[in-house]
Amino acid sequence: MTAITIRDVSESTLEALKIKAAKGGRSLQTYLLDLVTRDARTPSLADMMTRLDRETRSDVSTSDILAAIDDGRQRR
């Protein structure tokens, strides 16, 4: 495993992180590791948009949809 050092963290930020870790019953190291791991696993907005575009493509046109609606109404 690799160690990461974060420099120039203000005292107020460090204190806030320690409090959040303690409230969750975790050490500061565990809390920060969970936070970094979660962020690394979260896809970027650009990645999500690419996936959404890829998965929502359709060959059905608006006119096909409207024709199907009209056909359904005529069958009533």
Side-chain angles (χ1 to χ4, degrees), residues 63-76:
S63 60
D64 291 339
I65 294 169
L66 293 175
I69 292 170
D70 288 343
D71 185 50
R73 287 178 178 157
Q74 289 175 1
R75 291 183 187 181
R76 288 187 198 172

Side-chain angles (χ1 to χ4, degrees), residues 48-69:
M48 290 172 47
M49 293 303 293
T50 299
R51 180 178 172 195
L52 181 63
D53 186 49
R54 182 179 62 243
E55 293 181 5
T56 58
R57 294 272 171 144
S58 175
D59 294 331
V60 180
S61 69
T62 302
S63 60
D64 291 339
I65 294 169
L66 293 175
I69 292 170

